[in-house]
Amino acid sequence: MTDRADAGRDLGVRRGGVPEATVGRLPLYHRVLVDLADAGVDTVSSDALAATAGVSPAKLRKDLSFLGSYGTRGVGYEVSVLIEQIGAELGISSEWPVVIVGVGHLGHALANYGGFTSRGFRLVALFDEDPELVGTDVAGLVIRPFTDLPSVARAEGVTIGVVATPAAAAQDVADALVAAGVNSVLNFAPVVLTVPPSVDVRRVDLASELQILAFHQQRRGDELGQVAR
Amino acid sequence: MTDRADAGRDLGVRRGGVPEATVGRLPLYHRVLVDLADAGVDTVSSDALAATAGVSPAKLRKDLSFLGSYGTRGVGYEVSVLIEQIGAELGISSEWPVVIVGVGHLGHALANYGGFTSRGFRLVALFDEDPELVGTDVAGLVIRPFTDLPSVARAEGVTIGVVATPAAAAQDVADALVAAGVNSVLNFAPVVLTVPPSVDVRRVDLASELQILAFHQQRRGDELGQVAR
DNA sequence: AGGCGCTTGTGAAGGAGTGCACAAAGTTGC
DNA sequence: GCAACTTTGTGCACTCCTTCACAAGCGCCT
């Protein structure tokens, strides 16, 4: 949140200078492009791609321009080239080892989520505290006791961890992940995790999303009554 | 994304003029405040609350100022008052009926997610196409066939729907939801839904979140090698 | 070979969001 | 009742993001 865009400053090189807002959309573009490739499309215009991804054409072009000039004027973008370039930017070339902690329904859902491997991730372990679950097979992996985390994390070089535990356990889990060398955490528990500044946490929160929807819904309702003043 | 902040324009009245970025943080504040209330705290300063929520104090104060002046200078904010006001802004006073479509692991997890009712939502029905699942009990509700959606939605006045189906089914489900009068959709399927402009869709995407984390992770790694130029 | 039409890439303008710093306002202690 | 201290609320400057508009560039057609 602070010192992000200070590398590659005065150079024409924009590598590393991709704005945060753009980074947030790259995965979307990547997915849409893969879908297009699967459908046999091999060239798209920015207008068509933007429409498919649900963003404005100008925004899309500017986003892509941060990666370099991979389009052909008068024609459009070659789908395979874009997939390649966005993939490289997102680090899909390498395979990030990922662990999931907490194998309730949510953990289950995440573990079975297809497209881990196709998007540059490799699910290396599932952890849970519940002795009933430990030893069980999920998504081709055996659930391991949470105490195994440090050894597994170190052995596999895990840097990304997913917290899918109840709220009460989340902070302890986060602490353990950090201690085991993980410095990117995806948190599904409805709590604010406290971590060292070097660790990157992203929060995914069902209730927040619903409440944001409810807010807009309510506003729409309000406007019916008090429009045009 | 387009015409959001045009009501209550030149007036001193800011009701309805809450910026989108602020709206996105209100649920977080609300949750943190409820936790504080549960812990017996009844007054917080903006600094303390900001620290707990993981945002800067200035941002927090500005966010709260959009709701009105509910703090006491020299003292802080009364927790119960803030909960009340944020709740009102988010529409927690009313109870929004919600349906979930798709009761796989993710649907299960969502259905069992506590704090629906405490946050202004009431889960009124679960739907699935799978005949094996229909009739099953989940979270105190019987899973109903997807074809029941229209009648239930109309009967309960459902305006918010959650899509927790596989990607292939998501668009059809969204169409059915829209046809049934739902105009706020929370989409967990990894596809871009096409809906009329009057319908509000929010997308929650595991893969995107992971890829954003991976991007930052990669950048951190890169910097180690090519820092300070 | 040259011009025409299409689409990209980008400079510049406008808007939204954030951080700073301080005045306004309340409380506590004397 | 006054002064000192604390904390809110907000105007201002700054940065980041988005949108607009158009020149630059490429392919196709004649």
Side-chain angles (χ1 to χ4, degrees):
Chain A
M1 241 164 211
T2 51
D3 49 348
R4 222 129 223 183
D6 41 341
R9 200 62 144 58
D10 47 337
L11 307 159
V13 183
R14 38 181 64 98
R15 256 205 134 264
V18 183
E20 194 57 30
T22 297
V23 174
R25 285 184 293 265
L26 289 182
L28 169 63
Y29 301 154
H30 189 264
R31 191 218 314 297
V32 168
L33 284 163
V34 169
D35 287 351
L36 284 176
D38 288 350
V41 178
D42 43 41
T43 298
V44 274
S45 67
S46 63
D47 278 41
L49 184 54
T52 316
V55 304
S56 77
K59 203 191 291 192
L60 173 74
R61 284 205 299 274
K62 182 138 284 188
D63 282 343
L64 293 183
S65 77
F66 287 114
L67 310 186
S69 289
Y70 299 111
T72 308
R73 299 178 190 223
V75 178
Y77 299 92
E78 205 172 328
V79 173
S80 63
V81 172
L82 273 192
I83 291 176
E84 185 80 13
Q85 294 303 327
I86 296 177
E89 194 68 33
L90 290 174
I92 285 180
S93 37
S94 24
E95 270 219 336
W96 302 98
V98 173
V99 297
I100 295 177
V101 184
V103 195
H105 282 298
L106 180 58
H108 249 82
L110 298 176
N112 284 310
Y113 183 85
F116 258 110
T117 49
S118 71
R119 289 194 177 83
F121 302 101
R122 187 165 47 93
L123 187 53
V124 297
L126 303 171
F127 297 102
D128 206 296
E129 242 185 2
D130 186 351
E132 294 259 326
L133 283 174
V134 171
T136 314
D137 227 74
V138 171
L141 286 169
V142 178
I143 300 179
R144 312 185 58 159
F146 186 52
T147 47
D148 283 8
L149 172 63
S151 58
V152 173
R154 291 244 160 68
E156 301 271 6
V158 175
T159 53
I160 301 179
V162 178
V163 177
T165 65
Q171 183 61 56
D172 288 347
V173 168
D175 293 344
L177 283 169
V178 171
V182 172
N183 49 13
S184 293
V185 175
L186 184 54
N187 177 31
F188 286 87
V191 290
V192 177
L193 295 180
T194 303
V195 296
S198 62
V199 177
D200 194 5
V201 177
R202 292 188 67 87
R203 199 170 52 91
V204 176
D205 184 353
L206 161 71
S208 290
E209 299 297 329
L210 279 178
Q211 288 182 332
I212 294 167
L213 282 175
F215 173 86
H216 293 311
Q217 187 78 42
Q218 173 170 272
R219 275 248 313 212
R220 251 177 287 179
D222 284 0
E223 273 163 19
L224 291 177
Q226 62 184 45
V227 82
R229 182 237 115 151
Chain B
M1 239 162 217
T2 51
D3 49 346
R4 221 130 224 181
D6 39 342
R9 200 62 144 59
D10 47 338
L11 305 159
V13 183
R14 40 181 59 97
R15 256 207 133 262
V18 183
E20 195 56 30
T22 297
V23 174
R25 286 184 294 265
L26 289 181
L28 170 62
Y29 300 154
H30 189 265
R31 190 217 314 297
V32 169
L33 285 163
V34 169
D35 287 351
L36 285 175
D38 287 350
V41 179
D42 43 42
T43 299
V44 274
S45 68
S46 64
D47 277 43
L49 184 55
T52 316
V55 303
S56 78
K59 203 191 290 193
L60 173 73
R61 285 206 296 276
K62 184 143 288 188
D63 282 343
L64 294 182
S65 78
F66 286 114
L67 312 186
S69 290
Y70 298 111
T72 308
R73 298 179 189 221
V75 178
Y77 299 91
E78 205 171 328
V79 173
S80 63
V81 172
L82 274 193
I83 292 176
E84 184 81 14
Q85 294 302 328
I86 296 178
E89 195 68 32
L90 291 174
I92 285 180
S93 37
S94 24
E95 271 218 335
W96 301 97
V98 174
V99 297
I100 295 176
V101 184
V103 196
H105 282 299
L106 179 58
H108 248 82
L110 299 176
N112 285 309
Y113 183 83
F116 258 110
T117 49
S118 71
R119 288 194 177 84
F121 302 101
R122 187 165 49 92
L123 187 53
V124 297
L126 303 171
F127 296 101
D128 207 295
E129 239 184 6
D130 186 351
E132 294 259 326
L133 284 173
V134 171
T136 316
D137 226 74
V138 171
L141 285 170
V142 178
I143 300 179
R144 313 185 57 159
F146 185 53
T147 47
D148 283 8
L149 173 64
S151 59
V152 173
R154 291 247 159 67
E156 301 271 5
V158 175
T159 53
I160 301 179
V162 178
V163 177
T165 64
Q171 183 61 57
D172 287 347
V173 168
D175 292 344
L177 284 169
V178 171
V182 172
N183 50 12
S184 293
V185 175
L186 184 53
N187 177 31
F188 285 87
V191 290
V192 178
L193 295 179
T194 304
V195 296
S198 63
V199 177
D200 194 5
V201 176
R202 291 188 68 86
R203 198 172 50 93
V204 175
D205 184 352
L206 161 71
S208 290
E209 299 297 326
L210 280 178
Q211 288 183 332
I212 294 167
L213 283 174
F215 174 86
H216 294 312
Q217 187 78 41
Q218 173 170 273
R219 276 250 313 212
R220 253 178 287 180
D222 283 358
E223 272 162 20
L224 291 177
Q226 61 185 46
V227 84
R229 141 196 187 169

